[in-house]
Each structure stands twice: as C-alpha cells, then as structure tokens.
C-alpha cells in the first residue's frame, strides 16, 4: 500500500534498475494527491554530466513528477537561476511510496524534451532491448513501450503543462 506524503516534508527518492539501487537522494515533497507525487531536489550527481544534448550540473533543480498508476516519471530541469533546460522523462514501473520513501524502478527507456520543445529525443532503446525485459516480462515491456510513445506524443502536442498541472 502506498502512503500519501505531506507537502514540505523530506523524502528519500531511490531509483532502482535491474534490482539494484542506481541512485538515492533526498527531496522535498511539493505535493501529493495519492496518485501524482511531486518532489523537488538538486542535481544528485557528484559531478556534472554532459549528455551532448543537455548538461546536468551542480545547482540544477529537478522538479520530479511521479505517478502511482502510470509507467513513467517526468522531471522538469532548471538551472540555479530558474532557467528551464527541459524535461527528462524516465519510463518506469508505477512509483511505490512507503517506509523507505519513493521507490522508482527504471525500465531503461527515456525521453528528453528541450525547453523550447523543438528537440524530442528517444533515448536508451538499445539498453531496453539488451535488458531482456521483453522475454522476462513481456507485459511490462509492452507497457514501457506504450509509455514512451505517450510521452513522445505529449511532447509533440505542445508539452507537459496539462499533465504536470501547469506549474
């Protein structure tokens, strides 16, 4: 059973991949309606990370949107001065919230949308194919593919404002 978190409280976010914790970091709860959870956290990497299409670095702020009933998470990325860099979307199993905090199982597929919406990139499809999930869990693989398609369609249709509550 997933618990509802209180705005302003701190929570640990744990991203799990292939059964192992990939990253764990503290965040502050912005809102939680029992289905859609929003947290805010600084860039959790020890060093800057340049993907070629965006660079995440110290001072960047991530406003992360998780759902307990959807197969993705959307992270709005801003610089320290508030300039929007874009949205990094992870395809995940529905988020679980419990005693250990927010637990998100990463399914390898990602989408990047630039701040102006002009660049929409599907990422890590090769990692997804190599993960073996299509053989191991074909239902989850199918849901993951549909989630990536949904995110891409939203990005091309004008962005995530409605999905994220316009703010």
């Amino acid at each position: 059973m997933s618990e509802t978190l209180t705005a302003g409280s701190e929570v640990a976010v744990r991203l799990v991949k292939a059964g192992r914790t990939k990253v764990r970091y503290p965040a502050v709860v912005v809102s939680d309606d029992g289905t859609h959870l929003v947290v805010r956290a600084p860039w959790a990497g020890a060093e800057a990370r340049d993907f070629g299409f965006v660079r995440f670095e110290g001072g960047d702020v991530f406003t992360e949107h998780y759902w307990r009933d959807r197969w993705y998470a959307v992270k709005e990325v801003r610089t320290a001065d508030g300039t929007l860099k874009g949205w990094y979307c992870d395809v995940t199993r529905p988020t679980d919230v419990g005693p250990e905090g927010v637990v998100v199982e990463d399914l390898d597929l990602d989408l990047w949308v630039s701040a102006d919406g002009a660049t929409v990139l599907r990422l890590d499809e090769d990692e997804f194919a190599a993960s073996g999930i299509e053989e191991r869990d074909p239902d989850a693989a199918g849901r993951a593919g549909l989630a990536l398609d949904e995110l891409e369609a939203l990005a091309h249709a004008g962005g995530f404002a409605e999905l994220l509550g316009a703010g």
Side-chain angles (χ1 to χ4, degrees):
M1 177 173 232
S2 201
E3 61 184 74
T4 302
L5 301 175
T6 303
S9 63
E10 286 196 14
V11 65
V13 176
R14 185 166 60 106
L15 187 62
V16 177
K17 189 171 180 177
R20 293 188 327 250
T21 298
K22 186 173 158 181
V23 65
R24 181 185 174 102
Y25 53 91
V28 174
V29 176
V30 174
S31 65
D32 185 4
D33 67 9
T35 302
H36 177 198
L37 167 65
V38 182
V39 302
R40 190 165 289 129
W43 165 242
E47 299 177 3
R49 184 155 180 209
D50 192 338
F51 291 92
F53 50 86
V54 67
R55 179 180 168 90
F56 297 153
E57 53 200 338
D60 286 351
V61 177
F62 286 65
T63 301
E64 305 176 355
H65 296 258
Y66 298 102
W67 288 268
R68 293 168 177 88
D69 63 352
R70 297 185 189 201
W71 286 69
Y72 53 77
V74 177
K75 300 170 181 179
E76 180 187 86
V77 185
R78 293 184 178 269
T79 63
D81 71 5
T83 303
L84 179 64
K85 288 187 174 186
W87 296 268
Y88 195 93
C89 308
D90 288 314
V91 173
T92 67
R93 290 186 188 269
T95 298
D96 183 47
V97 180
E100 291 188 33
V102 178
V103 180
V104 184
E105 185 179 345
D106 186 351
L107 297 177
D108 292 312
L109 294 173
D110 301 298
L111 186 81
W112 169 255
V113 182
S114 62
D116 62 4
T119 303
V120 178
L121 300 173
R122 292 172 71 109
L123 306 169
D124 304 330
E125 290 177 298
D126 54 338
E127 288 181 31
F128 180 76
S131 74
I133 191 171
E134 293 172 298
E135 296 78 29
R136 203 175 55 256
D137 191 344
D139 180 59
R143 287 175 181 257
L146 290 172
L148 184 61
D149 291 344
E150 179 182 343
L151 288 165
E152 184 177 25
L154 286 168
H156 286 299
F160 302 114
E162 186 174 336
L163 174 69
L164 304 181

